[in-house]
Amino acid sequence: MLRRISVNEWIDHQSASLESVHDSVLQIIQDVSSRGDEALLELSRRYDNVALETVQVSEEAIWNAHERVDKEVLQALIDAYERIVMFHKLQRQKEFWLQETDPGILLGVKVTPLERIGIYVPGGKAAYPSTVLMCAAPARVAGVSEICLCTPPGRDGPSPLTLAACAICGITEVYQVGGAQAIAAMAYGTASIARVDKIVGPGNSYVAVAKRIVQEDVAIDFPAGPSEIAIIADESANPAFIAADIIAQSEHDPSAASLLITPSEELACRVDEEIKRQMKDISRKEIILEALMQGGVIISSDLDEAVEIANTIAPEHLSLQVVEAIHKISQIQHAGSIFVGSYAPVACGDYASGTNHVLPTAGNARLYSGLNLSHFTKASTVQIISKEGLMQIQDTVEKIADAEGLHAHANSVRIRFE
């Protein structure tokens, strides 16, 4: 089931999956920005096969969702939320600090939370309450005052699991809108949905492309499309573990992609056999089989080349299942999240270790960090300068300003000493 592929094949596939839907997404965005709620209701009928009277989910439905969720599952969501909050609290910066850099000059930074953010939570083929937790927890820790959430509709409304997770996070503004139309609604606003300052959250190719298009008008976290994993493994790795990780990644959706990078031909064959064995009695089999075709295996000359390949493709998830894996971390330059050792499956980061599972995909880990506290804040620099302090830098400011021909700038300093 694991086909041999090249680095270029992997990269081409990841970019092609986004480019193929660009025109359709642009049309949806233009429709929503011009017709608002009317377009949202029509698009729900067309793409979700659901006839809605309103896109807003009532607060009553949100708070009552827990009654439709297994108590043990509900407690697991609460436990996960607490772990995610704990990890993101470790990322807190001082809200305001000042440091004297010269006599009479105090410089500092004031950190302020964003006022209103929009969260996108996928749906359709599966419910993702964990994504609610991953997006809302850092927003809450950062102090964001307004949070709205969009998720695809179902015949009986959004998934109770998703709504229960909203209740856990204290989110009461929820809309049953999915896909590119949800991104457009949060970016430009409709009669029902007020526009947001920033959109966060993962989604399919349509959602990823929509975020890329609207970022000229609204801030986004980063491109987060179909999920992916790269596994670097040597002959010491357990093929059953690797096969399980590949299958787990593949059950997200048909566009998910898994890549094994190994210098061991024997390991690649054993992993392939394990995938076939584990696939015999498994749910979501059709989705997994289709997703397996998106990835494959690359046989490297050694582990150093395996790391080079991983750095080239900049995967969303990178699993290191090699001898003394911890020593390889320093060589990794580009990865959304790194999972070290045979007992660190990606599922831990997906749900309960506390790190965030909203991560850049399709090579964008080369440019972006995964979702973290800084995505929900902005920083203003502060300078407090006395006359004594201004004297310290007067000559420098005047000379550079005059050299640039901005003499009024220079005069704004010079006049203070006349």
Side-chain angles (χ1 to χ4, degrees), residues 69-79:
V69 176
D70 179 88
K71 289 183 179 180
E72 291 185 0
V73 174
L74 192 65
Q75 186 57 53
L77 290 172
I78 293 171
D79 292 344

Side-chain angles (χ1 to χ4, degrees), residues 55-119:
V55 296
Q56 186 155 16
V57 179
S58 69
E59 287 192 33
E60 182 181 10
I62 297 168
W63 294 118
N64 292 340
H66 71 278
E67 297 175 358
R68 302 163 61 192
V69 176
D70 179 88
K71 289 183 179 180
E72 291 185 0
V73 174
L74 192 65
Q75 186 57 53
L77 290 172
I78 293 171
D79 292 344
Y81 179 70
E82 291 173 350
R83 290 177 183 275
I84 298 163
V85 166
M86 177 179 64
F87 177 71
H88 289 83
K89 280 184 176 180
L90 297 175
Q91 302 172 27
R92 276 177 169 164
Q93 303 177 49
K94 287 184 179 180
E95 292 183 6
F96 180 49
W97 61 265
L98 285 171
Q99 176 70 45
E100 186 175 54
T101 57
D102 282 288
I105 299 180
L106 292 170
L107 303 181
V109 172
K110 180 183 183 298
V111 177
T112 307
L114 299 179
E115 290 185 8
R116 178 174 172 80
I117 63 123
I119 295 173

Side-chain angles (χ1 to χ4, degrees), residues 205-222:
S205 299
Y206 282 77
V207 170
V209 171
K211 286 169 66 179
R212 189 167 65 184
I213 292 172
V214 303
Q215 67 179 326
E216 293 184 1
D217 301 299
V218 65
I220 67 166
D221 45 8
F222 40 76

Side-chain angles (χ1 to χ4, degrees), residues 242-258:
I242 296 172
D245 291 344
I246 289 172
I247 292 171
Q249 189 66 30
S250 300
E251 74 174 342
H252 275 288
D253 69 60
S255 297
S258 303

Side-chain angles (χ1 to χ4, degrees), residues 22 87 143 191 278 396 407:
H22 182 274
F87 177 71
Q278 293 181 30
T396 300
H407 304 297

